[in-house]
Amino acid sequence: MNRILSLTLFFFLTFCLGLESLGQLKPVRHTVMSDGHPITVWEKSAPYPRQCILLVHGRTWSAIPDFDLQVEGEELSLMDGLAKWSYAVYAIDLRGYGNTPRDSTDWATPDQSARDIANVLKYIQDRRGYSEPPHLFGWSMGSTLSQLTAQRHPELMSSLTLFGYWRNSDQVFPAEPEEHPKAVKQINTAEAAASDFIVEGAISENAIDAYVKAALAADPVKVDLRRFDQFNELDPAKVTVPTLIIQGEHDPIAPGEYQSKLFNRLGTTHKQWVVIPGGDHAAFLEKPRTFFLHHLNKFFEGVDLLKK
């Protein structure tokens, strides 16, 4: 009996100490080949993860500044927050972002991004040995890319979370030609990096400065994106996986009208819509972070519960 108690205590302490040290660990880098192109995927995982999650960044900035921001004396990393709640957390750098190079076209497109996300989901499921498919989380532009992936490959994910959803579901983009012009390769700016933090006092000046520094270091040049007409394929009625919509109360990019249309038209009956009080387009990096994480975790737990 004493031996059993000793072993139990050992594993308990190992687990707890592992969680405490997660925020101090650097993310593990994986390289996933997608249609012959190397895609960088970052990982931070709990010692004994119960589920796994793939995070998809937005239009301008890559995975590390968005999802693993490290600020001395503050806990802001979404990857750390989810890992401490016993998840295996992965974050993708799409083509041209962070540590993933541009491809030979010099352009990113929704169609190719959705294929890359699907291939990374397959990698996580097949190569990492998890019993259930990953949950898929998309922020801002990443929300529409994640929806496109969910419509095409619902079998690759346990659920879909859309945060900062920017598209009016009635919007139709004009057709673009197949041939592409020369990429612009515009230089990113500090003003652009700080632009999502609009609620006064919701995040410290020190944290904003850290985000700007990390964002410009990871993505000094803005990725060139074209073929917005491929987003015309988006149809909420074709989303059949459990879906969580998260909206920041003060997010000008994701107004309630857009979230309402999206929510009401979703093809799945397992759906939730959460508004983050006091939050804006970067709510998970700000004071509502704990509230944000709580609802995200509860949604994942609910999806898992229904499978049992």
Side-chain angles (χ1 to χ4, degrees):
M1 180 62 71
N2 288 337
R3 184 172 182 271
I4 294 174
L5 287 173
S6 297
L7 286 172
T8 301
L9 180 61
F10 170 78
F11 285 116
F12 175 76
L13 290 174
T14 300
F15 177 75
C16 291
L17 290 172
L19 290 182
E20 286 298 318
S21 64
L22 278 172
Q24 301 173 2
L25 296 177
K26 291 184 178 180
V28 176
R29 180 179 175 180
H30 303 274
T31 299
V32 180
M33 298 305 296
S34 176
D35 298 342
H37 191 77
I39 304 294
T40 294
V41 179
W42 304 97
E43 177 191 359
K44 277 192 171 183
S45 295
Y48 307 99
R50 49 183 171 148
Q51 298 178 56
C52 52
I53 303 162
L54 176 62
L55 308 176
V56 182
H57 60 75
R59 166 69 181 89
T60 310
W61 313 107
S62 55
I64 293 300
D66 281 353
F67 301 130
D68 195 33
L69 183 64
Q70 300 296 323
V71 181
E72 186 175 356
E74 301 186 48
E75 292 187 6
L76 299 177
S77 165
L78 184 61
M79 295 184 78
D80 286 344
L82 289 168
K84 286 181 179 179
W85 279 3
S86 300
Y87 292 100
V89 189
Y90 298 83
I92 185 174
D93 280 345
L94 294 168
R95 297 187 184 213
Y97 293 89
N99 284 72
T100 295
R102 295 184 182 222
D103 61 26
S104 60
T105 71
D106 258 346
W107 290 86
T109 66
D111 183 70
Q112 183 63 67
S113 296
R115 291 204 301 272
D116 292 340
I117 293 168
N119 286 329
V120 170
L121 288 169
K122 291 175 186 175
Y123 169 84
I124 295 171
Q125 174 73 12
D126 297 341
R127 302 294 182 87
R128 309 306 294 173
Y130 298 109
S131 59
E132 296 291 341
H135 297 278
L136 181 60
F137 174 102
W139 177 30
S140 196
M141 183 71 76
S143 67
T144 44
L145 297 175
S146 295
Q147 180 188 341
L148 193 59
T149 309
Q151 288 181 198
R152 295 175 177 179
H153 300 286
E155 75 283 358
L156 295 180
M157 62 198 70
S158 290
S159 76
L160 173 67
T161 298
L162 307 172
F163 171 52
Y165 192 87
W166 59 276
R167 181 177 178 265
N168 182 337
S169 295
D170 291 322
Q171 186 174 12
V172 177
F173 291 99
E176 295 183 37
E178 289 288 341
E179 60 275 10
H180 56 81
K182 184 178 179 180
V184 178
K185 297 186 179 180
Q186 176 183 339
I187 301 299
N188 272 324
T189 66
E191 290 77 15
S195 63
D196 285 334
F197 306 110
I198 63 173
V199 177
E200 187 175 355
I203 185 172
S204 71
E205 289 299 323
N206 188 38
I208 293 176
D209 291 344
Y211 182 85
V212 170
K213 182 178 179 180
L216 294 179
D219 302 285
V221 178
K222 191 172 185 177
V223 169
D224 290 284
L225 180 64
R226 65 186 304 272
R227 295 304 307 271
F228 273 74
D229 56 330
Q230 292 174 356
F231 281 131
N232 294 336
E233 183 182 336
L234 293 177
D235 180 359
K238 294 181 180 178
V239 176
T240 57
V241 298
T243 302
L244 171 63
I245 298 170
I246 306 180
Q247 175 196 0
E249 178 188 5
H250 303 295
D251 187 350
I253 297 175
E257 175 191 0
Y258 293 3
Q259 316 311 304
S260 178
K261 287 181 182 179
L262 175 64
F263 181 81
N264 289 323
R265 297 175 184 181
L266 284 170
T268 178
T269 58
H270 186 168
K271 55 185 178 179
Q272 297 177 30
W273 174 12
V274 174
V275 178
I276 307 298
D280 55 30
H281 199 60
F284 59 78
L285 286 166
E286 302 172 332
K287 284 185 177 178
R289 176 177 181 270
T290 301
F291 185 85
F292 190 106
L293 281 165
H294 168 78
H295 282 280
L296 193 57
N297 177 58
K298 286 300 181 184
F299 174 71
F300 293 154
E301 287 181 342
V303 172
D304 185 53
L305 186 63
L306 286 175
K307 292 181 177 181
K308 296 179 179 178

